[in-house]
Amino acid sequence: MDMTKSLEELGKKAKEVSRVLGSLSVTEKNQGLQCAAKALLSHQEAILRANEKDMAAAREAGMSQGLLDRLSLTESRIQGMADGLLEVAGLEDPIGEVLSMNKRPNGLLIGKKRVPIGVVGIIYEARPNVTSDAFGLCFKSGNAVILKGGSDAIHSNLAIVTALREGLEEAGCPKDAVQLVASTDREATRELMRMNQYVDVLIPRGSAGLIRATVENSTIPVIETGTGNCHIYVDETAKFPMALEIIVNAKTQRVGVCNACESLVIHRRVAKEFLPLLKEVFLEKQVEVRADEEARAIVPEWKAAEEEDWGREYLDSILSVKIVGGIKEAIAHINRYNTGHSEAIVTSDYENAQKFLDEVDAAAVYVNASTRFTDGGEFGFGAEIGISTQKLHARGPMGLKELTTTKYIIYGNGQVR
Amino acid sequence: MDMTKSLEELGKKAKEVSRVLGSLSVTEKNQGLQCAAKALLSHQEAILRANEKDMAAAREAGMSQGLLDRLSLTESRIQGMADGLLEVAGLEDPIGEVLSMNKRPNGLLIGKKRVPIGVVGIIYEARPNVTSDAFGLCFKSGNAVILKGGSDAIHSNLAIVTALREGLEEAGCPKDAVQLVASTDREATRELMRMNQYVDVLIPRGSAGLIRATVENSTIPVIETGTGNCHIYVDETAKFPMALEIIVNAKTQRVGVCNACESLVIHRRVAKEFLPLLKEVFLEKQVEVRADEEARAIVPEWKAAEEEDWGREYLDSILSVKIVGGIKEAIAHINRYNTGHSEAIVTSDYENAQKFLDEVDAAAVYVNASTRFTDGGEFGFGAEIGISTQKLHARGPMGLKELTTTKYIIYGNGQVR
């Protein structure tokens, strides 16, 4: 990696190379991914050394244990990154599919063909494995990628990208398919966010703050990912054991993820019977509850929820509880406070199930299942670049297809208007 | 229309009403469109009077004849707007279609369903008919629309929206499905561009300047429309009569539109023979040519092109001419200067045709046909809200389907991870 390259140069290179990537055959792309995976392993020592530098600096700066763990690389994590690339090589190539082709009355044959987006920019935080994962998905879908990782992981990211580029070169693929913004200052991020001439889409991955900053400052189209204030609504007809199992799974199976449940909404008629059961389970699982007044009248041990609790993504062992008078109030509450990620109802009532699916405004709406399933792997996409919580372009888990666009290809024989 | 409503109130209303619109049946929506069409006709006098106010002010301000013509409403134009709404009523309802539904190994049934986007903001300039057209498409696709027209057309727009809302009310549909920003100051436009809480997508329609300003200032996702620096490449194997007919059509059939041809690229080997033919036709059609040195050596009467000519969308009887050494140079030139709208090759060579379709980066790429076909009507969509020149969400003509998004609906029976 030439660290002195300006962002402008990176952008130009990426645009140039994106013209070539769109025409690579699936065999060539898979070869590139395989060689890149191999290069990660052969560069293992250099990557670990670079990561140790980042870790030392982070420890010095007093980084929390959780973040240190995210930042840290090990032999097995590098193996995981390499395996990830091989998995992506095994996925179907989305490029070139003709989604429709119709003959118009004037004889024009109009087809809609799937093509790469072009240049994808990824802005992310501490986890260096994103570097390799994001490259894999962008490369397989024919896109050039410009990566802007967090400054905490700069040495690790540089070492990883150096390996990936060497792998690509060995495979005879253009190494500029993946480039890293080597500068760690914020001005570089801002500049990247305004390179409309070169970058077709920006995908921020990380904290709510990072995503908000990208949306606020980017003039390039952004795909918002991640923030998930997910609810589970327990209807009056819910089967209690199923409801308990789903809530416990969605809240506790992994607390720091965007598809974890952050808020329980429950029908007044079953609250008195259900909430004490929940109290027991949550005591055992050490989940803190912040409840409205009515729920606290049933379980006085729970803390009182404040207005701001309804909108919060805790990403922690905390859950808010709200009692409602029925499906209508439940849907209104959820549509008011949710972030458009994943919402679930537990019910045995057909009409309520359909109403919930119809009227809740979110990327994924569930009946009788845990919100934790909103994930590219679980949806059968093989891998994901993120989970879109916006409505444009892609909604929900984004796999290879979501990294593509279409173009109309039109076959004529002299038609004029 | 209550003109004192703040933008915040408009946004809130639109969001509220969007929840209802998504659940309207196609019969209810068509009834709304029919009543709105009727109301336009019954309000004809009021609309014409309001338009006269706008016209008088515009004449006073010295508006050009072309813009005055765009601003002006007549009985037949109002009839045209009403007919447009009836046409939209005749189109298929895109909402509710389930695009796919698959059973996962764990028994979860995951479906992808087409739903409205929610709240669409349209920012546009002088033509008051956009007010009615945009409402029709947004309403049929289940979206609430907030319209921000140009200050020149404010009285006309208010009168039109008043009629549309009365029509909706008569049909028993929520009248806040269409709202107009009554304020004409620029601050209101800026505020609208940052109402992420209420507006899901912004579509600017109008000049390149308006579109750029929206992209620069909006924090809401924007769909860029319109700008078209469209090329026609005459390959060495082109049939001359076909090439001439296509160029003349694409350049002269209507000069002020985004899918008109702005630049001719021609293979060196046929330039000497072809350009003199073109010179004759363009003399007759009064098309001004700005050519590179090599072309001017063949037709000395043509003006010299400057660097900036290659990137210009003239929207006028002007065409630039560039000679190239072959398909590769032609594609590189086009990919460098085009705006991603519509590009055409005239050729009899199979490989060049395929190469052009594959490698030219634009929303619509043609072989042996005029670029003028890039249009929702011509593509068979029935109507269009604009032509997207960006790659995200929609590319090319946008009809009803492009005003929708999807959500995942998931049927479970107790699944947990």
Side-chain angles (χ1 to χ4, degrees):
Chain A
M1 285 289 299
D2 174 4
M3 307 230 338
T4 63
K5 255 194 236 164
S6 73
L7 264 177
E8 173 91 14
E9 285 170 282
L10 291 192
K12 231 178 239 174
K13 281 271 177 216
K15 197 83 194 166
E16 251 175 64
V17 102
S18 74
R19 311 275 185 214
V20 182
L21 294 179
S23 306
L24 290 186
S25 72
V26 64
T27 316
E28 291 168 312
K29 290 192 281 191
N30 289 346
Q31 190 109 44
L33 289 166
Q34 281 150 8
C35 288
K38 248 187 252 165
L40 280 179
L41 297 179
S42 68
H43 281 239
Q44 184 174 281
E45 225 173 289
I47 295 172
L48 289 175
R49 249 193 338 261
N51 184 246
E52 199 29 66
K53 256 197 218 172
D54 288 332
M55 291 291 287
R59 273 190 219 102
E60 190 131 321
M63 187 184 265
S64 76
Q65 201 48 50
L67 284 178
L68 279 175
D69 177 58
R70 286 184 165 211
L71 178 58
S72 140
L73 289 176
T74 59
E75 280 188 23
S76 90
R77 283 192 178 178
I78 294 174
Q79 182 68 52
M81 284 159 51
D83 291 347
L85 293 181
L86 297 180
E87 262 172 53
V88 171
L91 298 177
E92 210 183 324
D93 186 1
I95 298 305
E97 184 190 359
V98 174
L99 303 169
S100 65
M101 183 163 288
N102 296 103
K103 196 151 213 156
R104 299 289 306 151
N106 61 4
L108 278 184
L109 198 59
I110 303 186
K112 195 174 186 178
K113 189 180 162 186
R114 201 185 282 287
V115 298
I117 290 178
V119 178
V120 178
I122 314 259
I123 302 180
Y124 56 108
E125 285 168 342
R127 290 165 58 171
N129 65 310
V130 172
T131 308
S132 160
D133 294 353
F135 153 72
L137 289 166
C138 289
F139 186 73
K140 180 74 182 236
S141 51
N143 296 293
V145 66
I146 298 179
L147 299 164
K148 173 77 182 71
S151 53
D152 297 327
I154 183 67
H155 298 102
S156 315
N157 289 338
L158 273 169
I160 292 166
V161 169
T162 301
L164 297 174
R165 287 165 62 90
E166 193 183 296
L168 286 179
E169 213 161 24
E170 265 171 43
C173 297
K175 62 181 185 211
D176 288 326
V178 54
Q179 298 181 99
L180 182 76
V181 178
S183 161
T184 57
D185 72 16
R186 274 168 191 265
E187 206 34 63
T189 313
R190 288 210 171 229
E191 196 186 330
L192 176 61
M193 288 181 188
R194 304 185 77 87
M195 296 214 307
N196 295 56
Q197 208 185 337
Y198 303 118
V199 182
D200 295 293
V201 58
L202 271 189
I203 306 178
R205 286 186 59 170
S207 69
L210 170 78
I211 292 163
R212 202 167 42 240
T214 310
V215 169
E216 289 274 323
N217 295 304
S218 174
T219 52
I220 299 167
V222 174
I223 299 183
E224 275 189 68
T225 62
T227 319
N229 181 22
C230 307
H231 299 74
I232 292 174
Y233 170 53
V234 176
D235 187 33
E236 59 173 323
T237 63
K239 293 197 175 79
F240 284 4
M242 187 196 282
L244 279 173
E245 202 184 352
I246 288 175
I247 294 166
V248 168
N249 178 262
K251 180 68 253 177
T252 69
Q253 195 238 356
R254 233 179 121 187
V255 294
V257 290
C258 59
N259 56 17
C261 174
E262 306 288 12
S263 187
L264 170 71
V265 180
I266 181 164
H267 196 295
R268 181 162 295 132
R269 266 194 223 125
V270 289
K272 212 174 236 170
E273 205 179 334
F274 186 77
L275 293 184
L277 303 177
L278 197 66
K279 179 193 137 191
E280 292 307 311
V281 192
F282 277 174
L283 262 179
E284 182 194 323
K285 296 273 182 184
Q286 298 186 295
V287 175
E288 177 187 326
V289 174
R290 304 197 184 163
D292 67 3
E293 279 315 301
E294 203 175 337
R296 291 186 68 226
I298 302 169
V299 186
E301 294 90 332
W302 286 346
K303 286 195 186 163
E306 289 171 25
E307 168 63 25
E308 61 159 34
D309 278 298
W310 308 126
R312 275 189 64 185
E313 185 189 23
Y314 299 113
L315 297 172
D316 202 346
S317 284
I318 308 173
L319 181 92
S320 68
V321 171
K322 165 95 187 163
I323 292 182
V324 295
I327 181 93
K328 216 176 139 182
E329 197 185 334
I331 292 173
H333 176 81
I334 290 171
N335 280 340
R336 174 156 178 210
Y337 292 104
N338 80 347
T339 54
H341 199 295
S342 302
E343 309 297 339
I345 183 175
V346 185
T347 187
S348 293
D349 184 274
Y350 174 80
E351 269 119 18
N352 286 356
Q354 294 297 77
K355 195 176 169 68
F356 195 85
L357 288 174
D358 277 352
E359 297 182 14
V360 168
D361 191 13
V365 188
Y366 294 82
V367 178
N368 295 345
S370 167
T371 53
R372 288 278 293 115
F373 287 107
T374 305
D375 170 275
E378 295 293 329
F379 273 33
F381 300 168
E384 70 172 37
I385 191 100
I387 295 172
S388 163
T389 53
Q390 70 177 40
K391 294 182 177 179
L392 245 58
H393 185 71
R395 203 174 186 201
M398 294 189 290
L400 288 174
K401 279 189 186 172
E402 285 69 26
L403 287 172
T404 67
T405 180
T406 56
K407 79 175 169 192
Y408 286 103
I409 51 173
I410 300 124
Y411 297 87
N413 47 22
Q415 282 84 349
V416 293
R417 263 180 100 173
Chain B
M1 285 290 295
D2 174 3
M3 307 228 339
T4 63
K5 255 195 237 163
S6 72
L7 264 177
E8 173 91 15
E9 284 171 283
L10 290 191
K12 232 178 241 177
K13 281 269 177 217
K15 197 81 194 167
E16 250 175 63
V17 102
S18 74
R19 310 275 185 215
V20 182
L21 294 179
S23 307
L24 290 186
S25 73
V26 63
T27 316
E28 290 168 312
K29 290 192 281 190
N30 289 345
Q31 191 109 42
L33 289 167
Q34 282 151 6
C35 287
K38 248 188 250 165
L40 280 179
L41 298 177
S42 69
H43 282 237
Q44 183 175 282
E45 225 174 287
I47 295 172
L48 288 175
R49 250 195 335 263
N51 185 245
E52 198 31 64
K53 257 198 217 171
D54 288 331
M55 290 292 286
R59 273 191 219 100
E60 191 131 321
M63 187 184 266
S64 76
Q65 201 48 51
L67 283 179
L68 279 175
D69 177 59
R70 286 184 165 212
L71 177 58
S72 140
L73 288 176
T74 60
E75 282 188 20
S76 90
R77 284 190 177 178
I78 295 174
Q79 182 69 53
M81 283 158 53
D83 291 347
L85 293 182
L86 297 180
E87 262 171 53
V88 171
L91 298 177
E92 208 183 325
D93 185 1
I95 299 305
E97 183 189 0
V98 174
L99 303 168
S100 65
M101 183 164 289
N102 297 102
K103 195 152 214 153
R104 300 289 306 150
N106 59 4
L108 278 183
L109 198 60
I110 303 187
K112 195 174 185 178
K113 188 180 163 188
R114 202 185 280 289
V115 298
I117 290 178
V119 179
V120 178
I122 314 257
I123 302 180
Y124 56 109
E125 285 167 340
R127 292 165 58 173
N129 64 309
V130 171
T131 308
S132 160
D133 294 354
F135 153 71
L137 289 167
C138 289
F139 186 74
K140 180 75 183 235
S141 50
N143 295 293
V145 65
I146 297 178
L147 299 162
K148 172 77 181 73
S151 52
D152 298 328
I154 184 67
H155 297 102
S156 315
N157 289 338
L158 273 169
I160 292 166
V161 170
T162 301
L164 296 174
R165 287 165 61 91
E166 194 182 297
L168 286 179
E169 213 161 23
E170 266 172 43
C173 297
K175 63 182 184 209
D176 288 326
V178 54
Q179 299 181 99
L180 183 75
V181 178
S183 162
T184 57
D185 71 17
R186 275 168 191 265
E187 209 31 66
T189 312
R190 289 210 169 229
E191 197 186 331
L192 177 61
M193 288 180 186
R194 305 185 76 85
M195 295 213 309
N196 295 54
Q197 208 186 337
Y198 303 119
V199 182
D200 295 292
V201 58
L202 270 188
I203 306 177
R205 286 187 57 170
S207 68
L210 171 77
I211 292 163
R212 203 168 38 241
T214 309
V215 169
E216 290 274 322
N217 295 304
S218 175
T219 51
I220 298 167
V222 174
I223 298 184
E224 276 190 68
T225 63
T227 319
N229 179 22
C230 307
H231 299 74
I232 292 175
Y233 170 53
V234 176
D235 186 34
E236 59 175 323
T237 64
K239 292 196 176 82
F240 284 4
M242 186 197 280
L244 279 173
E245 202 184 351
I246 287 174
I247 295 165
V248 167
N249 177 264
K251 180 67 253 178
T252 70
Q253 195 237 357
R254 237 180 117 186
V255 294
V257 289
C258 59
N259 56 17
C261 174
E262 306 289 10
S263 188
L264 171 70
V265 180
I266 181 165
H267 195 293
R268 182 162 293 132
R269 268 194 221 124
V270 290
K272 211 172 236 171
E273 206 180 333
F274 186 77
L275 293 184
L277 302 176
L278 196 66
K279 178 193 135 191
E280 292 307 312
V281 192
F282 277 173
L283 262 179
E284 183 193 322
K285 295 275 182 183
Q286 299 187 294
V287 175
E288 178 188 325
V289 174
R290 304 194 185 165
D292 67 4
E293 279 315 299
E294 202 176 337
R296 290 186 69 227
I298 301 168
V299 186
E301 294 91 332
W302 286 347
K303 285 194 187 162
E306 288 171 26
E307 169 61 24
E308 60 157 35
D309 278 298
W310 308 126
R312 276 190 62 184
E313 184 188 25
Y314 298 113
L315 296 172
D316 202 346
S317 285
I318 307 174
L319 182 93
S320 67
V321 171
K322 164 94 187 164
I323 292 181
V324 294
I327 181 93
K328 214 177 142 184
E329 196 184 334
I331 291 173
H333 176 81
I334 290 170
N335 279 341
R336 174 156 178 209
Y337 291 104
N338 81 346
T339 54
H341 198 293
S342 302
E343 310 296 338
I345 183 175
V346 186
T347 188
S348 293
D349 184 274
Y350 174 79
E351 269 118 19
N352 286 356
Q354 295 297 78
K355 196 176 169 67
F356 195 85
L357 288 174
D358 276 352
E359 297 182 14
V360 168
D361 191 13
V365 189
Y366 294 82
V367 177
N368 296 344
S370 168
T371 53
R372 288 279 291 115
F373 286 107
T374 305
D375 171 273
E378 295 293 330
F379 273 33
F381 300 168
E384 69 172 38
I385 192 99
I387 295 172
S388 163
T389 53
Q390 71 178 39
K391 295 181 176 179
L392 244 58
H393 185 71
R395 202 173 185 201
M398 294 187 291
L400 289 174
K401 279 189 187 172
E402 285 70 26
L403 288 172
T404 67
T405 182
T406 56
K407 79 173 169 194
Y408 287 103
I409 51 173
I410 299 124
Y411 297 88
N413 47 22
Q415 282 83 351
V416 294
R417 264 181 99 172

